[in-house]
Amino acid sequence: MQISATLSSAANATPSSPALGSVRQAGETKTRDASATQASVSSVDKESFADTGNRARQLLDAKYAEARKAGTRIKYDMSEQGVRADFSSFSDQELASIALNRNHQFTDDESGWARGEFTERARVALAPFDNDVMHRFDRRGMVLAVNVLYNSATPEVREALRWDEAMMASGAEMLARDTKDFGPIDRQSVAQLVLGTRSTGRPLGIDFLNKGENFNFDWSPLFYTPATFARKDAAPAEEPSSAGSKH
């Protein structure tokens, strides 16, 4: 799912979203947790991506074995008999290892299904902003939500999503234009809406926040600007930017 394409098509469509009705700029929020949050943002998982792929392969094989034990099989072709493949239990990083298939551990069906799961996770994570995009041509919330998701994601998850610097730059231009039309938007409220999608059990992860419900953070490092285009070790921005085994 490429958010630039999503927003471009949505711009051709025509009440304001209740979710964003209270998301107008009320000033920047500075919190006592800022330094702790930034330290968390800078943390990097120690597990290698190859190890993640090995674990994902084992988890998939266990799913196949469980299906066989139940007298059925996991299917990727809906015209076949069996149980529809379900990748919703995989972490984003595990899913990325399947989608990218760098060590050729996965079948084409498995990799394609993983990409489809990412499409669904992105849809769920950005759903709170659909109404404003579709009915008010207001893309501010969605662009900022992508900022949060992008800057929290690993490089592998970004690649699997096919989200890149060009897309983010395009989003920044959209944000600048829509801010002129609608005014500034409260970034923390946008982040809260994104985090709220966790209750669905199937959103894109914001991994360093998944252990708690405290939204009292300095979100500056998580919003894209050209100067801070990086992963989790990005410095805070001064100003917000207007075939494997067969089964």
Side-chain angles (χ1 to χ4, degrees):
M1 173 180 178
Q2 291 194 351
I3 191 61
S4 55
T6 300
L7 294 182
S8 295
S9 61
N12 294 323
T14 59
S16 175
S17 166
L20 283 182
S22 60
V23 179
R24 304 301 178 245
Q25 178 72 17
E28 294 299 320
T29 302
K30 302 298 181 181
T31 79
R32 63 183 179 279
D33 298 306
S35 59
T37 300
Q38 291 166 15
S40 298
V41 173
S42 298
S43 65
V44 177
D45 294 335
K46 297 181 184 297
E47 183 182 58
S48 72
F49 192 55
D51 287 340
T52 302
N54 290 336
R55 184 175 65 252
R57 179 70 269 164
Q58 292 171 358
L59 291 171
L60 265 176
D61 289 343
K63 286 178 178 287
Y64 294 127
E66 184 178 356
R68 287 195 297 269
K69 186 176 180 179
T72 186
R73 64 191 294 271
I74 292 177
K75 65 178 181 179
Y76 296 91
D77 184 338
M78 295 305 102
S79 67
E80 297 177 351
Q81 296 295 316
V83 178
R84 179 186 176 98
D86 180 3
F87 284 15
S88 61
S89 62
F90 288 104
S91 71
D92 287 348
Q93 193 72 348
E94 289 165 350
L95 202 63
S97 72
I98 302 171
L100 298 178
N101 196 18
R102 289 181 178 170
N103 291 336
H104 308 290
Q105 297 170 279
F106 305 99
T107 66
D108 290 343
D109 284 338
E110 290 167 345
S111 295
W113 209 263
R115 290 190 182 278
E117 175 66 22
F118 267 129
T119 297
E120 176 62 12
R121 292 186 187 189
R123 184 197 67 77
V124 169
L126 299 175
F129 312 97
D130 286 346
N131 196 49
D132 279 275
V133 172
M134 297 297 294
H135 299 291
R136 300 182 66 241
F137 311 105
D138 179 0
R139 299 162 295 188
R140 296 171 304 160
M142 184 171 285
V143 171
L144 288 175
V146 172
N147 287 175
V148 173
L149 294 167
Y150 184 94
N151 284 310
S152 175
T154 65
E156 294 84 11
V157 169
R158 294 175 182 175
E159 184 179 349
L161 282 164
R162 296 171 180 166
W163 289 5
D164 57 18
E165 184 171 356
M167 188 196 81
M168 297 304 292
S170 176
E173 293 175 0
M174 293 181 189
L175 178 60
R177 289 196 297 269
D178 288 0
T179 298
K180 288 183 179 179
D181 293 337
F182 298 98
I185 190 170
D186 179 13
R187 299 179 302 167
Q188 186 170 356
S189 295
V190 170
Q192 289 181 25
L193 291 175
V194 175
L195 289 175
T197 64
R198 286 183 298 169
S199 63
T200 66
R202 204 176 179 184
L204 285 170
I206 301 183
D207 47 5
F208 75 94
L209 288 176
N210 280 344
K211 296 179 181 179
E213 298 295 334
N214 183 6
F215 298 138
N216 192 25
F217 292 107
D218 175 11
W219 294 98
S220 299
L222 293 184
F223 289 91
Y224 168 82
T225 64
T228 61
F229 191 91
R231 202 202 154 210
K232 297 181 179 181
D233 53 353
E238 294 182 3
E239 295 291 340
S241 173
S242 340
S245 57
K246 303 292 182 181
H247 303 274

